Amino acid sequence: MGMTITEKILAKSAGKAKVEPGQNVWLNVDVLMTHDVCGPPTIDIWKREFGDRAKIWDKQKLVIFPDHYIFTQNPQANRNVDILRQFASEYNLPNYYDVGTDRYKGVCHIALAEEGYNIPGTVLFGTDSHSCTSGAFGMFSTGVGNTDAAFILGTGKIWEKVPESLKFTFDGELPNYLTAKDLILQVLGDITTDGGTYRALEFNGDAVYSMEMDERMTLTNMAIEAGAMNGIIAADSVTDKYVKERSQKEYEIFQSDNDAVYRSEFHYDTSKMEPLVAKPHSPDNKDTVRNVEGTKLTKCYIGSCTGGKLSDFKSAAKFLFGNEVNVPTFVVPASTYVAQQLEIETISGVSLKSIFENAGCVIAESSCAACLGGPMDTVGRAIDGEVIISTTNRNFPGRMGSKKSEVYLASPLTVAVSALTGVITDPRNFL
Amino acid sequence: MEKIIKGKAFVLGDNIDTDQIIPAEHLVYSLSDPEESKMYGKFALSGVPLIKSGLPDGSKAFIAGDNTESEFSIIIAGSNFGCGSSREHAPFALEKAGVKAIAAESYARIFYRNAVDGGFVIPYESTKKLIDKIKTGDEVEINLNTNHLKNITTGEEFNLNPLGDVLPIIEAGNIFEYARINEMI
Ligand code: SF4
C-alpha cells in the first residue's frame, strides 16, 4: 500500500520509513512562524516553561512577521510589536521583519513564500490558522496555538496525528472567468466547514498545475475553512522555478503513490464550473454569482493572504482598466513586494497602481487590515450593516468588523466587476 | 488527576467557533496576570447568540451577573466545537470560567490541541449526539477510567471515545509536564 504526499513528508520528518493515518508522531520542525498577535504570548509561555534554560532551538528556523495590527494607534497592538522587536534584538534574530524599516514585508503567509521559506518536502508550523497556505509548495504546513509554538521554540519538535487525505482533482482548462477562489469555494460548499477536520486536502489535476504559485496558494490557504490540518499540492517545475529564485536550499520533491489510500476522492470538470460566492455568514455557504446577482453593495475589498496577491490584482485590473468604481473599493496588497509590483506591472503601458487609482480605489499599505476587522481605526473595516464583497477567506459574523455587516466572499474577478456596477455581478457579463 | 468529574452541564449546538467562545474584542487582557486574566472567565461563551445559549431552551447566562466563574463545569456540545481562529484564549477562557471537561461530537483540530497541550480542559468526543439527551442544568458525571458519561438527573449513561494517544499528556497536566516526565526536555 502506497503513501500520500502528506504521509511521506511526515514520515521523513518523524524519521520513520512509513506512517499511517491516525498514528501520532513526533516531528522535527523546519520552520516556526509567528506574528504580532500570537508571538508575544508564545514568548511568555516559552520563558515560563523553560525558565533560565530557555533557549531558541534554531534561530535560523524561527521567522517573525508583524502583520496583523500594524497601522493603528491602538496601544495594546503597538505594545505587541514592541515586545517582538525587543525579543528580536535581545536574541539577535536573523529572520525578524520589523515594521517601519525596509525589511517590513506584510502578511506572513505570502511573505514566507516570497522570502524563500517555503521549501518542498519540509515541515512548517505557524501560530496562525492559515499557515496551511505554504502547502502549495509541496510541503506540510499547519497552524498551532501558543503553547505548541512555545514547545517548538524550545525543542524544535511537536507531535501531530497523521491525517487521512481527501483528494480533489480539477480536470480541464480553467476558463478565463474562473480563478482558484471559485474552485475552493466549490470544495467548501461540497464538504462544509468541518469536512476536512483532522484531514489533509490534496489538490491535483491539469487545472491546478496550470496555475501559477499565487493561485495555488489560494487553494491551500482556504483548506482551514474546511477545518483541514493541511492543504497540499505536489511540487512541479513551476514550484521549482519559484523556489530556486528565492532560496539556495537543497530539497526533495515528494509525490503521492498511485496506490496511496484516500478517505474520499472528488473530481471536477472546470469547464462546467461557474463563478461562485460564499454568502454570509460562512465560507461554505456556497451559491453561484448568477443567483445573487443584483445584491446591492456598500463596499468592495481586494486584499489579504487569500486575495491580495499579485495574480489577484492582475485579474481585477483587467476589468477596472479605464473604468470607475461605483462603490468605495479598497485595494490592500498582501505584501510590500506585491505593492512594489503594482507599480511595475502594466496593462497597455499603464501600471496596475495607476489603473486602481484612476478607477477611484483606495490603496492601503500592506498588512492584514480589515480581513479580520482589527482595531477601530483599521482601513476598510466593516461599519454597521454594510454589505461587502471581498476576496478574503472568512465571513463569520463580525469577522471584518461590525457584527451587523454582511460579507460575500468571491474571486477578484467577481469583486472587480461588482465594484464597477455597485451590485454583485457575474464576470461573464464583462467578457 | 481527578478520575471522576462531576458538575452541572451547559449544552451548546454545532459549530461553536472561537469568536463565540471568547470574542476578539476581549483578547487584549493579559493571560499571565492573575487578576486581569479573570476577565477571560467573565466573558467566556459571551459570543454565543442568546437563543442558543444553554439548550434546549436557550437564553441561559453561562456566567451569572458580574461573576468570573460559571456554575456549569461540564460543556455538552455538537460537532466542530472550537472552529475558526488558532486563538488559545478560547480553551483558556473556559478553564478560567471553571470548566473541567467538554463532551462534543467533534472538535476543530487547533482547539483540540490547545485544550490538551495547554492542559486547560479535557476534550472528550461523544460516540453519539448528546445535545438532545442532556439539558442545561442536568447533573452529569464523567468517569475517566471507564470513559462513561452519566446523566445523574435522568440516570442515562453514554459512552465516550477513549482519549487514546493524548491521555498521557492530559494525565501529565500539559505538553511541557509530559515532556519532562519523558525526559524530552
Ligand atoms: S490576511 Fe486575514 S486571513 Fe490572512 S493572516 Fe491576515 S488576518 Fe489572517
Side-chain angles (χ1 to χ4, degrees):
Chain A
M1 197 174 73
M3 286 198 282
T4 66
I5 177 171
T6 298
E7 289 155 15
K8 286 184 184 179
I9 295 170
L10 294 183
K12 181 185 174 215
S13 172
K16 294 182 186 299
K18 192 165 174 56
V19 295
E20 279 175 26
Q23 186 182 351
N24 269 347
V25 289
W26 283 87
L27 302 174
N28 291 300
V29 177
D30 294 299
V31 170
L32 173 67
M33 187 282 296
T34 189
H35 53 49
D36 54 303
V37 175
C38 294
T42 297
I43 296 165
D44 261 0
I45 297 170
W46 171 76
K47 284 188 175 154
R48 182 189 77 205
E49 294 294 337
F50 291 100
D52 294 342
R53 295 183 303 124
K55 188 174 165 290
I56 298 169
W57 104 100
D58 188 337
K59 286 183 197 176
Q60 293 296 338
K61 295 180 175 176
L62 173 65
V63 188
I64 307 179
F65 296 107
D67 61 353
H68 274 59
Y69 300 158
I70 299 305
F71 303 109
T72 173
Q73 301 296 318
N74 182 292
Q76 278 95 5
N78 292 327
R79 179 182 68 180
N80 278 338
V81 178
D82 288 342
I83 293 172
L84 292 182
R85 187 173 294 137
Q86 269 172 20
F87 180 68
S89 86
E90 185 182 344
Y91 290 90
N92 209 359
L93 298 181
N95 307 323
Y96 174 60
Y97 295 90
D98 203 4
V99 184
T101 71
D102 55 11
R103 281 176 65 78
Y104 175 67
K105 297 294 171 211
V107 182
C108 56
H109 310 299
I110 302 310
L112 278 172
E114 291 168 353
E115 295 304 305
Y117 293 107
N118 288 349
I119 306 288
T122 61
V123 169
L124 178 149
F125 281 78
T127 59
D128 188 284
S129 61
H130 289 102
S131 299
C132 49
T133 312
S134 299
F137 290 79
M139 59 193 283
F140 177 85
S141 66
T142 192
V144 285
N146 310 331
T147 298
D148 284 347
F151 193 90
I152 297 171
L153 189 58
T155 65
K157 293 191 182 346
I158 196 68
W159 68 272
E160 189 59 90
K161 192 193 283 283
V162 178
E164 292 180 302
S165 293
L166 307 181
K167 187 170 168 184
F168 300 87
T169 307
F170 292 93
D171 284 320
E173 273 182 40
L174 203 60
N176 61 356
Y177 47 84
L178 293 183
T179 71
K181 188 59 166 287
D182 300 291
L183 272 45
I184 192 66
L185 290 178
Q186 176 75 43
V187 168
L188 290 167
D190 290 349
I191 69 171
T192 78
T193 51
D194 64 351
T197 301
Y198 260 104
R199 292 178 188 148
L201 309 191
E202 184 176 322
F203 301 99
N204 204 340
D206 299 346
V208 173
Y209 286 107
S210 72
M211 293 176 185
E212 55 183 306
M213 292 315 297
D214 271 8
E215 281 285 276
R216 296 183 193 186
M217 282 194 269
T218 302
L219 294 178
T220 49
N221 175 279
M222 289 185 75
I224 184 63
E225 265 54 75
M229 181 185 293
N230 66 314
I232 196 160
I233 301 169
D236 65 354
S237 58
V238 175
T239 326
D240 211 36
K241 179 165 182 286
Y242 186 104
V243 174
K244 291 230 159 74
E245 283 169 6
R246 291 162 177 84
S247 172
Q248 315 287 335
K249 291 215 173 77
E250 299 280 317
Y251 51 86
E252 191 179 348
I253 289 182
F254 292 88
Q255 309 274 352
S256 293
D257 292 325
N258 289 333
D259 57 347
V261 178
Y262 294 91
R263 183 184 168 90
S264 39
E265 299 192 33
F266 299 77
H267 289 271
Y268 298 95
D269 176 354
T270 46
S271 67
K272 298 206 175 84
M273 293 176 70
E274 287 205 57
L276 299 174
V277 291
K279 295 185 286 189
H281 293 285
S282 182
D284 65 355
N285 195 9
K286 179 196 76 170
D287 208 339
T288 60
V289 175
R290 281 274 187 254
N291 276 344
V292 292
E293 238 181 341
T295 305
K296 221 174 151 8
L297 299 165
T298 62
K299 189 182 275 174
C300 298
Y301 189 95
I302 309 176
S304 85
C305 54
T306 336
K309 298 174 266 78
L310 185 59
S311 65
D312 300 301
F313 294 114
K314 280 190 195 163
S315 300
K318 273 187 243 156
F319 292 100
L320 294 176
F321 184 82
N323 289 314
E324 269 181 50
V325 296
N326 213 345
V327 275
T329 299
F330 292 83
V331 163
V332 190
S335 68
T336 52
Y337 171 78
V338 173
Q340 285 157 16
Q341 292 303 306
L342 293 187
E343 298 185 38
I344 294 166
E345 292 276 341
T346 57
I347 297 178
S348 307
V350 187
S351 74
L352 301 187
K353 188 172 182 214
S354 303
I355 293 172
F356 291 124
E357 278 170 352
N358 296 342
C361 303
V362 176
I363 304 181
E365 289 183 271
S366 302
S367 83
C368 292
C371 170
L372 84 164
M376 296 312 280
D377 55 354
T378 303
V379 63
R381 196 177 193 279
I383 304 159
D384 292 331
E386 280 203 294
V387 183
I388 302 173
I389 193 163
S390 171
T391 64
T392 52
N393 48 34
R394 283 188 180 145
N395 58 348
F396 299 129
R399 167 72 179 182
M400 292 188 74
S402 164
K403 285 205 164 63
K404 289 187 229 150
S405 64
E406 300 199 333
V407 178
Y408 289 79
L409 305 177
S411 79
L413 301 178
T414 303
V415 174
V417 296
S418 302
L420 294 177
T421 59
V423 296
I424 296 180
T425 303
D426 194 308
R428 285 171 291 185
N429 300 354
F430 279 73
L431 288 171
Chain B
M1 191 183 64
E2 288 174 84
K3 291 289 183 183
I4 307 281
I5 300 170
K6 222 171 167 172
K8 273 194 198 174
F10 194 78
V11 184
L12 295 162
D14 295 332
N15 297 316
I16 300 295
D17 72 71
T18 49
D19 256 303
Q20 296 182 57
I21 300 170
I22 183 76
E25 68 225 60
H26 304 307
L27 302 183
V28 293
Y29 302 114
S30 162
L31 296 151
S32 46
D33 181 282
E35 271 311 303
E36 209 176 313
S37 65
K38 285 184 183 163
M39 299 304 275
Y40 286 103
K42 183 176 166 67
F43 292 111
L45 295 178
S46 64
V48 178
L50 211 54
I51 48 161
K52 295 188 175 163
S53 179
L55 299 176
D57 304 329
S59 300
K60 291 222 175 59
F62 178 64
I63 301 282
D66 270 343
N67 293 354
T68 57
E69 282 200 40
S70 174
E71 58 178 303
F72 306 100
S73 58
I74 294 175
I75 290 181
I76 309 292
S79 61
N80 206 21
F81 190 85
C83 58
S85 82
S86 63
R87 76 182 65 142
E88 195 161 304
H89 310 72
F92 180 83
L94 294 176
E95 184 193 34
K96 280 280 156 189
V99 175
K100 298 273 183 273
I102 308 170
E105 277 171 75
S106 64
Y107 296 88
R109 169 183 160 271
I110 303 180
F111 178 91
Y112 184 84
R113 291 186 67 100
N114 288 345
V116 169
D117 286 357
F120 301 116
V121 291
I122 300 176
Y124 256 117
E125 277 171 12
S126 58
T127 53
K128 59 177 173 189
K129 208 177 190 64
L130 295 182
I131 64 176
D132 43 15
K133 306 274 186 210
I134 298 171
K135 291 190 168 72
T136 295
D138 283 358
E139 281 288 333
V140 298
E141 181 184 289
I142 291 177
N143 185 324
L144 272 82
N145 292 317
T146 61
N147 299 308
H148 273 143
L149 184 149
K150 184 172 182 181
N151 186 341
I152 298 170
T153 307
T154 64
E156 275 182 290
E157 281 210 39
F158 308 95
N159 289 327
L160 301 170
N161 282 333
L163 292 162
D165 293 338
V166 300
L167 182 63
I169 302 176
I170 293 172
E171 283 179 332
N174 61 45
I175 189 176
F176 291 99
E177 294 303 332
Y178 172 84
R180 278 185 202 109
I181 291 168
N182 290 284
E183 293 173 358
M184 295 172 67
I185 58 173

